[in-house]
Amino acid sequence: MDADEVKRRDRLGSMIAFARRTVPDLRRNAETVEPISPEGPRGRLPALLNPLRWTRVPLLPAAGTQNRVVARLIRSIGLFVLLPTAVVGVYLFVFAADQYVVETRFAVRGEVEPMGNVALGEFSSLIQKNNSQDSYIVRDYIQSQPMLESAQKELDIVRMFTRDEADFWTRYSGDKPIETLLKYWRKHVDVHIDLVSGILTLTVQAFTPEDALAISRHIMARAEALINAISSRAQQDMLRHSKDDLAASEERMRKAHLSLREFRNRWGIIDPAKSAEATMTTLLSLRKDKIKSENDLQVLRGSGLDEKSRSIQTIVASLNATNQQIKQLEDSLTNYGMAVGGRSVSEAILEYEGLMVERTIAEKLNDSATQMLDRARVAANRQHVYLAIFMPPSRPELSTVPMRGHSLFVAFFAFLVIWGCSSLLIAGVKDHNM
Protein backbone atom coordinates (compact mmCIF):
# COMPACT_ATOMS: atom_id res chain seq x y z
CA MET A 1 0.00 0.00 0.00
CA ASP A 2 1.57 3.23 -1.13
CA ALA A 3 1.43 6.66 0.53
CA ASP A 4 -1.19 8.13 -1.83
CA GLU A 5 -3.65 5.43 -0.98
CA VAL A 6 -3.12 6.01 2.72
CA LYS A 7 -3.82 9.72 2.28
CA ARG A 8 -7.03 9.05 0.35
CA ARG A 9 -8.27 6.72 3.09
CA ASP A 10 -7.53 9.28 5.79
CA ARG A 11 -9.33 12.01 3.83
CA LEU A 12 -12.36 9.75 3.28
CA GLY A 13 -12.49 8.84 6.96
CA SER A 14 -12.40 12.53 7.98
CA MET A 15 -15.28 13.35 5.63
CA ILE A 16 -17.41 10.47 6.98
CA ALA A 17 -16.77 11.60 10.58
CA PHE A 18 -17.70 15.23 9.73
CA ALA A 19 -20.92 14.03 8.04
CA ARG A 20 -21.89 12.00 11.05
CA ARG A 21 -21.44 15.03 13.34
CA THR A 22 -23.40 17.44 11.14
CA VAL A 23 -26.32 15.23 10.13
CA PRO A 24 -28.18 15.61 13.47
CA ASP A 25 -27.84 19.41 13.28
CA LEU A 26 -29.09 19.51 9.72
CA ARG A 27 -32.02 17.25 10.59
CA ARG A 28 -32.94 19.45 13.58
CA ASN A 29 -32.75 22.64 11.50
CA ALA A 30 -34.84 21.07 8.77
CA GLU A 31 -37.57 20.25 11.26
CA THR A 32 -37.69 23.90 12.47
CA VAL A 33 -37.93 25.46 8.99
CA GLU A 34 -41.28 27.11 8.51
CA PRO A 35 -43.08 25.52 5.49
CA ILE A 36 -44.00 27.71 2.54
CA SER A 37 -47.70 28.29 2.29
CA PRO A 38 -49.28 26.89 -0.89
CA GLU A 39 -50.54 30.22 -2.08
CA GLY A 40 -49.92 32.07 -5.22
CA PRO A 41 -46.79 33.87 -6.20
CA ARG A 42 -47.86 36.93 -4.19
CA GLY A 43 -48.04 34.91 -1.00
CA ARG A 44 -44.81 33.07 -1.60
CA LEU A 45 -42.67 36.22 -2.10
CA PRO A 46 -42.97 37.55 1.49
CA ALA A 47 -42.22 34.10 2.80
CA LEU A 48 -39.08 33.91 0.68
CA LEU A 49 -37.93 37.45 1.66
CA ASN A 50 -38.74 37.00 5.36
CA PRO A 51 -35.40 35.32 6.25
CA LEU A 52 -33.55 38.30 4.65
CA ARG A 53 -35.01 40.95 6.97
CA TRP A 54 -32.36 42.52 9.21
CA THR A 55 -34.40 41.82 12.34
CA ARG A 56 -34.03 38.12 11.63
CA VAL A 57 -30.25 38.24 11.14
CA PRO A 58 -28.57 36.01 13.73
CA LEU A 59 -26.96 37.61 16.88
CA LEU A 60 -29.25 40.71 16.62
CA PRO A 61 -32.09 41.28 19.05
CA ALA A 62 -35.65 41.41 17.91
CA ALA A 63 -37.57 44.65 17.52
CA GLY A 64 -38.93 44.67 21.08
CA THR A 65 -35.56 43.84 22.56
CA GLN A 66 -33.90 46.64 20.58
CA ASN A 67 -36.39 49.18 21.88
CA ARG A 68 -35.66 48.09 25.42
CA VAL A 69 -31.90 48.48 24.85
CA VAL A 70 -32.34 52.01 23.47
CA ALA A 71 -34.56 52.97 26.39
CA ARG A 72 -32.05 51.54 28.83
CA LEU A 73 -29.24 53.47 27.11
CA ILE A 74 -31.13 56.76 27.25
CA ARG A 75 -32.03 56.17 30.89
CA SER A 76 -28.39 55.39 31.76
CA ILE A 77 -27.11 58.53 29.97
CA GLY A 78 -29.70 60.68 31.65
CA LEU A 79 -28.96 59.27 35.10
CA PHE A 80 -25.18 59.23 34.99
CA VAL A 81 -24.37 62.08 32.54
CA LEU A 82 -27.18 64.56 32.13
CA LEU A 83 -28.35 64.61 35.74
CA PRO A 84 -24.87 65.30 37.24
CA THR A 85 -24.25 67.90 34.53
CA ALA A 86 -27.57 69.55 35.43
CA VAL A 87 -26.56 69.60 39.10
CA VAL A 88 -23.26 71.24 38.21
CA GLY A 89 -25.06 73.74 36.00
CA VAL A 90 -27.49 74.66 38.77
CA TYR A 91 -24.57 75.25 41.11
CA LEU A 92 -22.63 77.32 38.57
CA PHE A 93 -25.49 79.53 37.42
CA VAL A 94 -27.47 79.77 40.67
CA PHE A 95 -25.26 79.29 43.71
CA ALA A 96 -21.66 79.92 42.58
CA ALA A 97 -20.33 83.25 43.85
CA ASP A 98 -18.52 85.68 41.59
CA GLN A 99 -14.77 85.92 42.19
CA TYR A 100 -12.58 88.81 41.07
CA VAL A 101 -9.05 88.28 39.83
CA VAL A 102 -6.20 90.81 40.09
CA GLU A 103 -3.16 90.11 37.93
CA THR A 104 0.27 91.63 38.56
CA ARG A 105 3.38 91.11 36.46
CA PHE A 106 6.89 91.90 37.62
CA ALA A 107 10.48 90.74 37.35
CA VAL A 108 13.43 90.46 39.70
CA ARG A 109 16.17 92.64 38.27
CA GLY A 110 19.72 93.16 39.43
CA GLU A 111 22.70 95.41 38.86
CA VAL A 112 26.28 94.48 39.73
CA GLU A 113 28.70 97.15 40.89
CA PRO A 114 32.06 96.73 39.07
CA MET A 115 34.76 96.09 41.66
CA GLY A 116 37.77 96.74 39.44
CA ASN A 117 41.10 94.92 39.44
CA VAL A 118 41.57 94.49 43.17
CA ALA A 119 44.43 92.24 44.17
CA LEU A 120 42.99 91.14 47.52
CA GLY A 121 39.64 90.48 49.05
CA GLU A 122 37.43 90.49 46.00
CA PHE A 123 34.01 90.08 47.57
CA SER A 124 32.11 91.25 44.54
CA SER A 125 30.68 87.73 44.23
CA LEU A 126 28.63 88.48 47.34
CA ILE A 127 26.48 90.87 45.33
CA GLN A 128 26.35 88.80 42.16
CA LYS A 129 22.71 88.04 41.55
CA ASN A 130 21.02 85.02 40.08
CA ASN A 131 17.74 86.14 38.55
CA SER A 132 16.33 82.65 38.38
CA GLN A 133 17.14 81.88 41.98
CA ASP A 134 15.78 85.22 43.21
CA SER A 135 12.57 84.69 41.25
CA TYR A 136 12.01 81.29 42.84
CA ILE A 137 12.73 82.80 46.26
CA VAL A 138 10.01 85.40 45.69
CA ARG A 139 7.54 82.79 44.43
CA ASP A 140 8.08 80.48 47.40
CA TYR A 141 7.87 83.38 49.83
CA ILE A 142 4.53 84.54 48.41
CA GLN A 143 3.04 81.08 48.97
CA SER A 144 4.66 80.58 52.36
CA GLN A 145 3.24 80.72 55.86
CA PRO A 146 5.13 83.94 56.87
CA MET A 147 3.44 85.78 54.01
CA LEU A 148 0.05 84.42 55.08
CA GLU A 149 0.64 85.43 58.69
CA SER A 150 1.63 88.93 57.62
CA ALA A 151 -1.49 89.26 55.46
CA GLN A 152 -3.67 87.93 58.27
CA LYS A 153 -2.18 90.42 60.71
CA GLU A 154 -2.67 93.45 58.47
CA LEU A 155 -5.70 92.53 56.30
CA ASP A 156 -7.58 89.83 58.25
CA ILE A 157 -7.56 87.22 55.47
CA VAL A 158 -9.99 84.94 57.29
CA ARG A 159 -12.65 87.66 57.23
CA MET A 160 -12.07 88.22 53.51
CA PHE A 161 -12.42 84.52 52.69
CA THR A 162 -15.54 84.03 54.84
CA ARG A 163 -17.64 86.89 53.47
CA ASP A 164 -21.35 86.50 52.88
CA GLU A 165 -20.76 86.98 49.17
CA ALA A 166 -19.02 83.58 48.99
CA ASP A 167 -21.03 80.44 48.31
CA PHE A 168 -21.05 77.31 50.43
CA TRP A 169 -18.53 75.49 48.24
CA THR A 170 -15.81 78.14 47.84
CA ARG A 171 -16.13 79.86 51.24
CA TYR A 172 -13.39 79.21 53.79
CA SER A 173 -14.70 77.08 56.61
CA GLY A 174 -13.43 79.37 59.35
CA ASP A 175 -11.70 78.37 62.59
CA LYS A 176 -9.19 75.77 61.46
CA PRO A 177 -5.41 75.30 61.80
CA ILE A 178 -3.07 77.59 59.95
CA GLU A 179 -2.10 74.72 57.63
CA THR A 180 -5.67 74.50 56.32
CA LEU A 181 -5.75 78.25 55.75
CA LEU A 182 -2.39 77.99 53.95
CA LYS A 183 -3.82 75.40 51.51
CA TYR A 184 -6.80 77.69 50.87
CA TRP A 185 -4.39 80.63 50.40
CA ARG A 186 -2.39 78.75 47.78
CA LYS A 187 -5.57 77.99 45.84
CA HIS A 188 -6.47 81.70 45.63
CA VAL A 189 -2.95 83.15 45.34
CA ASP A 190 -0.87 81.77 42.49
CA VAL A 191 2.53 82.78 41.09
CA HIS A 192 3.75 81.64 37.69
CA ILE A 193 7.32 82.05 36.41
CA ASP A 194 8.07 82.31 32.71
CA LEU A 195 11.22 80.23 32.31
CA VAL A 196 12.25 82.07 29.13
CA SER A 197 11.87 85.71 30.18
CA GLY A 198 11.91 85.27 33.97
CA ILE A 199 8.70 87.32 34.35
CA LEU A 200 6.54 86.48 37.36
CA THR A 201 2.75 86.63 37.09
CA LEU A 202 0.81 86.97 40.33
CA THR A 203 -2.93 86.22 40.31
CA VAL A 204 -5.12 86.80 43.35
CA GLN A 205 -8.77 85.67 43.62
CA ALA A 206 -11.19 87.17 46.13
CA PHE A 207 -14.92 87.64 46.49
CA THR A 208 -14.77 91.44 46.19
CA PRO A 209 -12.63 93.67 43.98
CA GLU A 210 -11.36 95.60 46.97
CA ASP A 211 -10.15 92.46 48.76
CA ALA A 212 -8.31 91.17 45.68
CA LEU A 213 -6.62 94.54 45.18
CA ALA A 214 -5.63 94.85 48.84
CA ILE A 215 -4.14 91.35 48.93
CA SER A 216 -2.15 91.99 45.72
CA ARG A 217 -0.71 95.26 47.02
CA HIS A 218 0.24 93.71 50.34
CA ILE A 219 1.98 90.78 48.60
CA MET A 220 3.97 93.09 46.34
CA ALA A 221 5.03 95.26 49.29
CA ARG A 222 6.22 92.26 51.28
CA ALA A 223 8.02 90.73 48.29
CA GLU A 224 9.82 94.00 47.62
CA ALA A 225 10.83 94.21 51.29
CA LEU A 226 12.23 90.67 51.05
CA ILE A 227 14.30 91.51 47.96
CA ASN A 228 15.61 94.67 49.61
CA ALA A 229 16.59 92.67 52.70
CA ILE A 230 18.44 90.11 50.59
CA SER A 231 20.29 92.83 48.71
CA SER A 232 21.10 94.74 51.89
CA ARG A 233 22.36 91.59 53.56
CA ALA A 234 24.74 90.88 50.69
CA GLN A 235 25.99 94.47 50.71
CA GLN A 236 26.48 94.51 54.47
CA ASP A 237 28.38 91.23 54.31
CA MET A 238 30.66 92.65 51.66
CA LEU A 239 31.19 95.82 53.71
CA ARG A 240 31.90 93.86 56.88
CA HIS A 241 34.45 91.63 55.15
CA SER A 242 36.13 94.66 53.64
CA LYS A 243 36.43 96.29 57.06
CA ASP A 244 37.86 93.10 58.53
CA ASP A 245 40.44 92.93 55.73
CA LEU A 246 41.39 96.56 56.27
CA ALA A 247 41.81 96.04 60.01
CA ALA A 248 43.97 92.96 59.42
CA SER A 249 46.16 94.79 56.89
CA GLU A 250 46.57 97.76 59.22
CA GLU A 251 47.61 95.46 62.07
CA ARG A 252 50.12 93.71 59.82
CA MET A 253 51.56 97.02 58.67
CA ARG A 254 51.81 98.25 62.28
CA LYS A 255 53.73 95.12 63.29
CA ALA A 256 56.06 95.56 60.30
CA HIS A 257 56.88 99.14 61.36
CA LEU A 258 57.43 98.08 64.99
CA SER A 259 59.79 95.29 63.89
CA LEU A 260 61.77 97.71 61.73
CA ARG A 261 62.07 100.23 64.58
CA GLU A 262 63.22 97.53 66.98
CA PHE A 263 65.85 96.44 64.46
CA ARG A 264 67.22 99.96 64.13
CA ASN A 265 67.34 100.43 67.89
CA ARG A 266 69.11 97.10 68.34
CA TRP A 267 71.70 97.65 65.62
CA GLY A 268 72.06 101.38 66.02
CA ILE A 269 71.84 102.02 62.28
CA ILE A 270 69.08 103.30 60.06
CA ASP A 271 69.89 101.42 56.89
CA PRO A 272 72.46 98.59 56.98
CA ALA A 273 72.79 98.55 53.20
CA LYS A 274 73.73 102.22 53.04
CA SER A 275 76.04 101.83 56.02
CA ALA A 276 77.77 98.90 54.34
CA GLU A 277 78.10 100.96 51.17
CA ALA A 278 79.76 103.79 53.13
CA THR A 279 82.09 101.26 54.79
CA MET A 280 83.09 99.86 51.41
CA THR A 281 83.83 103.38 50.17
CA THR A 282 86.06 104.05 53.19
CA LEU A 283 87.76 100.68 52.74
CA LEU A 284 88.57 101.45 49.12
CA SER A 285 90.01 104.82 50.12
CA LEU A 286 92.22 103.19 52.80
CA ARG A 287 93.45 100.61 50.35
CA LYS A 288 94.47 103.39 47.97
CA ASP A 289 96.34 105.11 50.83
CA LYS A 290 97.99 101.81 51.71
CA ILE A 291 99.19 101.30 48.15
CA LYS A 292 100.55 104.86 48.05
CA SER A 293 102.34 104.41 51.38
CA GLU A 294 103.86 101.12 50.25
CA ASN A 295 105.14 102.78 47.07
CA ASP A 296 106.66 105.67 49.08
CA LEU A 297 108.29 103.22 51.50
CA GLN A 298 109.77 101.22 48.65
CA VAL A 299 111.15 104.39 47.04
CA LEU A 300 112.79 105.52 50.29
CA ARG A 301 114.32 102.12 50.92
CA GLY A 302 115.62 102.08 47.38
CA SER A 303 117.33 105.41 47.92
CA GLY A 304 119.53 103.89 50.63
CA LEU A 305 118.03 105.55 53.70
CA ASP A 306 118.42 103.87 57.02
CA GLU A 307 115.47 101.92 58.38
CA LYS A 308 115.59 104.03 61.52
CA SER A 309 115.27 107.25 59.66
CA ARG A 310 112.37 109.50 60.52
CA SER A 311 110.82 109.36 57.06
CA ILE A 312 110.78 105.59 56.87
CA GLN A 313 109.48 105.27 60.44
CA THR A 314 106.64 107.71 59.68
CA ILE A 315 105.60 105.85 56.56
CA VAL A 316 105.79 102.49 58.36
CA ALA A 317 103.64 103.81 61.21
CA SER A 318 101.11 105.26 58.75
CA LEU A 319 101.07 101.96 56.86
CA ASN A 320 100.44 99.96 60.05
CA ALA A 321 97.59 102.27 61.03
CA THR A 322 96.06 101.92 57.60
CA ASN A 323 96.30 98.11 57.75
CA GLN A 324 94.68 98.15 61.18
CA GLN A 325 91.82 100.30 59.89
CA ILE A 326 91.36 98.09 56.84
CA LYS A 327 91.28 95.00 59.07
CA GLN A 328 88.69 96.56 61.35
CA LEU A 329 86.47 97.54 58.45
CA GLU A 330 86.78 94.11 56.87
CA ASP A 331 85.99 92.47 60.19
CA SER A 332 82.95 94.70 60.59
CA LEU A 333 81.65 93.50 57.25
CA THR A 334 82.31 89.81 57.86
CA ASN A 335 83.24 88.52 61.29
CA TYR A 336 82.87 90.83 64.19
CA GLY A 337 79.78 93.05 64.07
CA MET A 338 79.88 96.68 63.60
CA ALA A 339 77.28 97.45 66.27
CA VAL A 340 75.43 95.85 69.14
CA GLY A 341 75.30 92.06 69.34
CA GLY A 342 78.63 91.26 67.72
CA ARG A 343 77.04 90.15 64.45
CA SER A 344 78.23 90.98 60.96
CA VAL A 345 76.76 93.53 58.59
CA SER A 346 75.71 90.74 56.22
CA GLU A 347 73.37 89.38 58.89
CA ALA A 348 72.02 92.85 59.51
CA ILE A 349 71.41 93.39 55.81
CA LEU A 350 69.64 90.03 55.50
CA GLU A 351 67.35 90.78 58.46
CA TYR A 352 66.76 94.31 57.26
CA GLU A 353 65.77 93.18 53.76
CA GLY A 354 63.25 90.70 55.24
CA LEU A 355 61.71 93.46 57.34
CA MET A 356 61.55 95.79 54.35
CA VAL A 357 59.82 93.12 52.24
CA GLU A 358 57.27 92.53 55.00
CA ARG A 359 56.62 96.27 55.30
CA THR A 360 56.18 96.61 51.54
CA ILE A 361 53.69 93.73 51.43
CA ALA A 362 51.79 95.14 54.39
CA GLU A 363 51.56 98.55 52.75
CA LYS A 364 50.32 97.04 49.47
CA LEU A 365 47.73 95.00 51.30
CA ASN A 366 46.60 98.04 53.24
CA ASP A 367 46.22 100.08 50.04
CA SER A 368 44.23 97.29 48.40
CA ALA A 369 41.98 96.85 51.46
CA THR A 370 41.38 100.59 51.64
CA GLN A 371 40.40 100.68 47.98
CA MET A 372 38.13 97.68 48.48
CA LEU A 373 36.43 99.32 51.44
CA ASP A 374 35.80 102.48 49.46
CA ARG A 375 34.23 100.50 46.63
CA ALA A 376 32.17 98.48 49.09
CA ARG A 377 30.80 101.66 50.62
CA VAL A 378 29.85 102.96 47.19
CA ALA A 379 28.21 99.63 46.34
CA ALA A 380 26.33 99.56 49.64
CA ASN A 381 24.62 102.82 48.75
CA ARG A 382 23.07 101.25 45.66
CA GLN A 383 20.21 98.76 45.48
CA HIS A 384 21.53 95.92 43.36
CA VAL A 385 18.51 93.58 43.41
CA TYR A 386 15.01 95.00 43.10
CA LEU A 387 11.51 94.29 41.83
CA ALA A 388 10.60 95.80 38.48
CA ILE A 389 6.79 96.01 38.46
CA PHE A 390 5.68 96.80 34.93
CA MET A 391 2.03 95.74 35.37
CA PRO A 392 0.91 96.96 38.81
CA PRO A 393 -2.25 95.62 40.46
CA SER A 394 -5.47 97.41 39.55
CA ARG A 395 -9.07 97.12 40.70
CA PRO A 396 -11.07 94.63 38.57
CA GLU A 397 -14.50 95.64 37.24
CA LEU A 398 -15.79 92.29 35.98
CA SER A 399 -15.85 88.85 37.57
CA THR A 400 -13.92 86.27 35.55
CA VAL A 401 -14.22 83.30 37.93
CA PRO A 402 -15.96 80.91 37.72
CA MET A 403 -16.05 80.44 33.94
CA ARG A 404 -19.54 78.96 33.92
CA GLY A 405 -19.88 77.87 30.29
CA HIS A 406 -16.44 76.38 30.12
CA SER A 407 -16.83 74.61 33.47
CA LEU A 408 -20.21 73.17 32.46
CA PHE A 409 -18.82 71.79 29.20
CA VAL A 410 -15.84 70.26 31.02
CA ALA A 411 -18.17 68.66 33.57
CA PHE A 412 -20.41 67.20 30.82
CA PHE A 413 -17.43 65.80 28.92
CA ALA A 414 -15.94 64.32 32.10
CA PHE A 415 -19.21 62.63 33.11
CA LEU A 416 -19.64 61.30 29.56
CA VAL A 417 -16.15 59.79 29.53
CA ILE A 418 -16.63 58.25 32.98
CA TRP A 419 -19.98 56.77 31.96
CA GLY A 420 -18.59 55.39 28.69
CA CYS A 421 -15.60 53.76 30.35
CA SER A 422 -17.75 52.30 33.13
CA SER A 423 -20.30 50.91 30.65
CA LEU A 424 -17.62 49.24 28.56
CA LEU A 425 -16.04 47.76 31.66
CA ILE A 426 -19.35 46.39 32.98
CA ALA A 427 -20.29 44.95 29.56
CA GLY A 428 -16.91 43.26 29.30
CA VAL A 429 -17.31 41.67 32.73
CA LYS A 430 -20.81 40.39 31.87
CA ASP A 431 -19.67 38.99 28.55
CA HIS A 432 -16.78 37.23 30.27
CA ASN A 433 -19.11 35.62 32.83
CA MET A 434 -21.56 34.28 30.21
Side-chain angles (χ1 to χ4, degrees):
M1 184 181 295
D2 55 359
D4 294 337
E5 188 176 354
V6 173
K7 290 182 180 180
R8 284 195 298 271
R9 283 190 175 188
D10 292 341
R11 190 180 299 110
L12 181 59
S14 299
M15 293 177 63
I16 294 173
F18 177 75
R20 289 177 179 177
R21 290 196 303 269
T22 56
V23 165
D25 295 336
L26 293 175
R27 184 179 301 168
R28 185 170 53 254
N29 292 335
E31 293 175 355
T32 59
V33 173
E34 184 178 354
I36 300 175
S37 59
E39 297 180 358
R42 295 181 180 179
R44 295 178 181 177
L45 183 60
L48 294 175
L49 296 179
N50 190 38
L52 300 178
R53 294 177 182 177
W54 68 275
T55 56
R56 300 294 300 276
V57 177
L59 302 179
L60 286 181
T65 306
Q66 182 181 5
N67 294 332
R68 289 195 299 271
V69 170
V70 174
R72 189 182 305 168
L73 181 63
I74 294 175
R75 185 168 57 253
S76 177
I77 293 177
L79 182 62
F80 295 104
V81 178
L82 298 181
L83 182 60
T85 305
V87 173
V88 173
V90 170
Y91 166 75
L92 291 174
F93 290 94
V94 177
F95 297 101
D98 293 336
Q99 298 185 37
Y100 298 87
V101 179
V102 174
E103 182 176 293
T104 307
R105 294 190 179 185
F106 59 95
V108 181
R109 302 295 300 275
E111 182 178 358
V112 179
E113 176 72 15
M115 302 306 296
N117 296 324
V118 182
L120 176 71
E122 294 188 0
F123 295 101
S124 59
S125 60
L126 293 176
I127 62 172
Q128 297 289 338
K129 65 174 184 59
N130 187 323
N131 284 339
S132 177
Q133 186 180 28
D134 295 335
S135 299
Y136 281 103
I137 289 175
V138 173
R139 185 199 65 178
D140 294 342
Y141 177 69
I142 290 175
Q143 295 184 336
S144 65
Q145 184 172 336
M147 172 64 78
L148 175 59
E149 293 175 350
S150 174
Q152 173 63 24
K153 182 179 179 180
E154 296 187 11
L155 302 177
D156 195 0
I157 294 298
V158 175
R159 179 184 60 83
M160 292 182 175
F161 289 155
T162 55
R163 289 186 179 275
D164 296 335
E165 291 84 351
D167 59 83
F168 65 92
W169 185 263
T170 58
R171 182 188 295 113
Y172 179 62
S173 54
D175 297 334
K176 284 191 175 181
I178 188 65
E179 290 78 12
T180 305
L181 181 59
L182 182 60
K183 292 180 180 179
Y184 190 86
W185 168 271
R186 291 174 178 174
K187 291 180 181 178
H188 287 74
V189 177
D190 182 65
V191 183
H192 173 71
I193 300 177
D194 188 354
L195 299 180
V196 178
S197 61
I199 295 176
L200 289 86
T201 302
L202 170 66
T203 56
V204 177
Q205 297 181 14
F207 299 106
T208 62
E210 293 76 12
D211 291 348
L213 181 60
I215 294 174
S216 297
R217 288 178 176 176
H218 176 77
I219 290 175
M220 294 309 301
R222 295 295 301 173
E224 189 170 6
L226 173 67
I227 289 297
N228 293 339
I230 294 175
S231 179
S232 176
R233 174 71 178 275
Q235 295 163 4
Q236 294 301 323
D237 287 345
M238 183 183 63
L239 190 61
R240 177 172 55 84
H241 286 295
S242 300
K243 289 182 178 179
D244 294 342
D245 280 352
L246 181 60
S249 64
E250 289 177 348
E251 179 65 19
R252 184 173 181 177
M253 186 173 63
R254 185 183 67 82
K255 291 181 179 180
H257 283 290
L258 289 177
S259 300
L260 189 60
R261 184 179 66 179
E262 189 271 337
F263 168 82
R264 288 170 176 171
N265 293 334
R266 186 175 71 250
W267 284 89
I269 55 177
I270 302 299
D271 190 345
K274 292 183 179 180
S275 298
E277 183 179 356
T279 302
M280 289 298 297
T281 302
T282 304
L283 186 61
L284 291 176
S285 178
L286 290 176
R287 286 176 177 174
K288 289 180 181 179
D289 294 340
K290 177 183 176 180
I291 293 173
K292 183 176 181 302
S293 298
E294 288 177 350
N295 291 332
D296 293 341
L297 181 61
Q298 186 177 3
V299 169
L300 290 177
R301 286 176 177 175
S303 62
L305 290 177
D306 188 8
E307 290 292 334
K308 297 182 178 180
S309 63
R310 186 177 182 82
S311 299
I312 293 178
Q313 292 296 326
T314 302
I315 294 175
V316 170
S318 175
L319 188 60
N320 291 333
T322 301
N323 289 331
Q324 186 177 1
Q325 291 179 356
I326 291 174
K327 187 176 182 303
Q328 290 178 354
L329 292 176
E330 289 178 347
D331 291 340
S332 67
L333 293 175
T334 56
N335 298 326
Y336 298 102
M338 55 180 291
V340 181
R343 292 181 295 177
S344 62
V345 177
S346 59
E347 296 180 3
I349 293 175
L350 181 63
E351 183 179 356
Y352 179 77
E353 288 179 349
L355 294 176
M356 290 300 295
V357 170
E358 176 64 20
R359 189 186 73 172
T360 302
I361 294 175
E363 290 176 350
K364 292 292 185 181
L365 293 178
N366 184 72
D367 294 340
S368 178
T370 303
Q371 184 181 5
M372 184 65 195
L373 180 60
D374 294 338
R375 292 182 178 272
R377 286 174 177 171
V378 173
N381 294 327
R382 304 183 61 180
Q383 185 179 4
H384 296 281
V385 183
Y386 59 94
L387 288 185
I389 305 174
F390 59 90
M391 185 181 292
S394 58
R395 184 181 184 277
E397 299 293 338
L398 182 64
S399 171
T400 56
V401 177
M403 296 182 290
R404 292 176 171 84
H406 178 268
S407 300
L408 186 62
F409 176 76
V410 171
F412 172 75
F413 184 76
F415 289 134
L416 183 62
V417 171
I418 294 174
W419 171 82
C421 295
S422 302
S423 300
L424 291 176
L425 181 61
I426 293 172
V429 172
K430 289 182 178 180
D431 182 68
H432 180 73
N433 295 332
M434 289 180 60

